[in-house]
Amino acid sequence: MALVLRGTVVTFDDDHRILDPGAVYVGDDGRLAAVRSAEQDPPAGFSGAPRIDTDGLILPGLIDLHNHIGYNTLPLWEAVGVPYPHHDRWVKEDEPPDYSTSVTWPAKVLQQAAPEALVKYVEVKALIGGTTAIQGAPHSTRPVDGWLLRIVDNEKLPSGTDMVMTAALQLDADELRDKRADKLDGTRVLIYHVAEGRRGSTVHDEFEDLEPCLKPGLIGVHSTALTAADFAMWQDAVAAVNRAERGTVVWSPFSNYWLYHETTNVVEADKKGLRIALGSDWSPSGTKHVLGELKVADAVNRHEFGGRFSDRELCDMVTANPGDALATAWGPQVGRLRRGSAADLLVLERHDPTQDVYRSLIDATERHVRLVLVRGRPFYGTPGLMTAAGATHTDTLTVAGLKRRVAVRQPDRSDAKLDWPGVKRALEKVRTDPVAAWRAAQDALADWGGPLDDPEAPLVLFGDMPEGDTGALAAAGEVPPDLVVPRLDPLTHDATYFAAVARSGVPELQHLARYYA
């Protein structure tokens, strides 16, 4: 429905206007009809639209440009082999708590036995941090196009065309040259993991294989092993195709430090002209959501980079920058508030009116998220704002001690029926007896008997990360008889999370708890 939100509007548009007071006009089509000063007349068709005085900051919804959704019910993985030299080593961890027992098997069972519940739990976890678009869809029997959020990998244009290519696992040089490079024609993007590991490690060779794809539209995830010369080569190659374009590096500082005790040299990437976006990676080695990752980036910027990036530039990494990177495929629809953009909105409590608006976003925690709209529809927020925005079929949940409402069940979606209590029941049922849950899921697939790419096939998810050593059981379609699925990862950064961070002893990550004190 048409809606008017009033407050301090932080546009992240080309001029980074701040309208105080401002008004955002949400159209029936899920797009922004106007973004203007509150003193200006409303656009045509909005004279009778509900008007909500948010008394807060109105921003673009946050964009998490790197994640692995299928694993985000799991807690931090406290591996014993850190720091690893590169991504091929930690999947071979064979000492408790090993990778296959702690990550692969629990995720595999939840993905296949409770797929709808898993995706919805993870979407709610992201919403609580103000996220409206997230990358990292699991492989599946049929695409999940986002029940609550925009799932970047599966988002389609109105024409039905899929313009986003992704690869979490490395492709060989022939595949990149022959099947990916030509598709980077200025209308598509490729989100690709490259050179994830410590500087000087063998994964640097992955960048050499990627050379044919150094074009507009390449979004490189991690790139931790790359040097200043590599970043210069990357941006020069992009500019040679289109001088107005920039390459994009996705930075996940928490995960980098957690696994490798190093992070991407984003200072050099920025100097060479690449844009930087943030991604929270996944819960086994990341933050709860990209609002948490923003704090890690801020701490690293302050303590390791000498304040190279301004508060505004850091906030661009979760709004304008990822939006601009995706615009190659989608057009300019997310990450900035302007007429015609998608009505993906975040309303934050302005907990310190004397604070700069960008610092307010960096310092905001789950307690300060007051309303989240995706495609113009309210999915999460305070009871009062959810009611005012016309939310229906909502459930109550408690976040950081505060009551919130979430719209998990959409009656107009025939492919998803669970509400929030149903999501938790379904996941806990799997946890109670994972072996029985796994066998029931396999029986359901056997009973179906048809092709898995049929739209009517049961929804089944498959992880997009390497499985490690799962042995003969996986080949036989079985799971370990003593499998334990850990408790669901809490929705917020809590005492358990920070205790694990403290045990890690990684100095660069110890600053995070102070934002939540």
Side-chain angles (χ1 to χ4, degrees), residues 188-433:
R188 295 178 175 86
V189 299
L190 170 61
I191 303 175
Y192 186 73
H193 284 53
V194 60
E196 181 188 350
R198 292 171 66 89
R199 281 179 281 281
S201 65
T202 59
V203 293
H204 183 273
D205 295 346
E206 297 168 4
F207 184 67
E208 298 174 10
D209 292 343
L210 192 60
E211 184 174 354
C213 294
L214 299 182
K215 297 180 178 182
L218 175 65
I219 299 173
V221 176
H222 294 309
S223 309
T224 46
L226 299 191
T227 65
D230 297 325
F231 291 126
M233 174 184 169
W234 182 348
Q235 180 55 31
D236 287 347
V238 170
V241 177
N242 185 334
R243 292 181 60 84
E245 288 286 352
R246 301 168 66 191
T248 302
V249 175
V250 185
W251 183 30
S252 298
F254 187 101
S255 187
N256 298 161
Y257 280 116
W258 187 261
L259 294 171
Y260 311 113
H261 295 184
E262 291 182 3
T263 195
T264 313
N265 193 345
V266 291
V267 170
E268 286 299 331
D270 178 65
K271 287 179 180 178
K272 299 303 183 285
L274 294 158
R275 70 168 65 88
I276 313 299
L278 283 181
S280 59
D281 204 343
W282 62 340
S283 62
S285 68
T287 46
K288 305 283 185 176
H289 41 63
V290 78
L291 184 59
E293 199 71 23
L294 180 59
K295 291 158 184 48
V296 183
D298 178 62
V300 172
N301 182 54
R302 288 186 175 196
H303 298 282
E304 307 298 322
F305 297 163
R308 160 76 187 189
F309 299 102
S310 69
D311 289 350
R312 194 186 85 178
E313 288 172 324
L314 288 170
C315 293
D316 281 347
M317 295 179 188
V318 292
T319 53
N321 286 2
D324 289 352
L326 292 171
T328 299
W330 289 359
Q333 66 168 340
V334 293
R336 300 179 186 266
L337 301 186
R338 53 193 173 192
R339 185 176 182 274
S341 295
D344 295 354
L345 302 172
L346 164 62
V347 177
L348 283 180
E349 173 190 330
R350 192 166 187 179
H351 46 283
D352 183 354
T354 66
Q355 202 172 44
D356 171 83
V357 295
Y358 302 110
R359 177 47 51 181
S360 290
L361 174 57
I362 292 170
D363 286 346
T365 69
E366 297 93 346
R367 293 179 59 84
H368 304 115
V369 176
R370 304 193 69 221
L371 184 66
V372 183
L373 274 67
V374 184
R375 302 181 181 91
R377 296 178 58 182
F379 281 96
Y380 173 79
T382 65
L385 288 179
M386 287 288 280
T387 298
T392 59
H393 300 90
T394 62
D395 302 304
T396 300
L397 71 168
T398 301
V399 175
L402 301 173
K403 293 296 182 184
R404 294 290 187 258
R405 303 287 293 178
V406 64
V408 172
R409 184 174 71 88
Q410 296 96 54
D412 57 332
R413 293 288 298 262
S414 61
D415 60 342
K417 295 298 185 183
L418 292 177
D419 57 10
W420 181 240
V423 165
K424 292 189 292 182
R425 284 195 300 269
L427 293 172
E428 289 298 338
K429 181 179 179 181
V430 175
R431 289 192 62 242
T432 300
D433 192 342

Side-chain angles (χ1 to χ4, degrees), residues 30-60:
R31 295 195 169 272
L32 300 183
V35 179
R36 56 183 60 169
S37 168
E39 282 77 28
Q40 291 180 272
D41 292 335
F46 282 86
S47 58
R51 188 181 77 174
I52 302 175
D53 290 311
T54 67
D55 194 31
L57 300 176
I58 304 172
L59 312 101

Side-chain angles (χ1 to χ4, degrees), residues 439-463:
R439 290 174 178 165
Q442 304 314 300
D443 289 345
L445 276 177
D447 291 344
W448 161 251
L452 291 181
D453 58 356
D454 190 303
E456 299 301 319
L459 177 63
V460 179
L461 308 179
F462 306 95

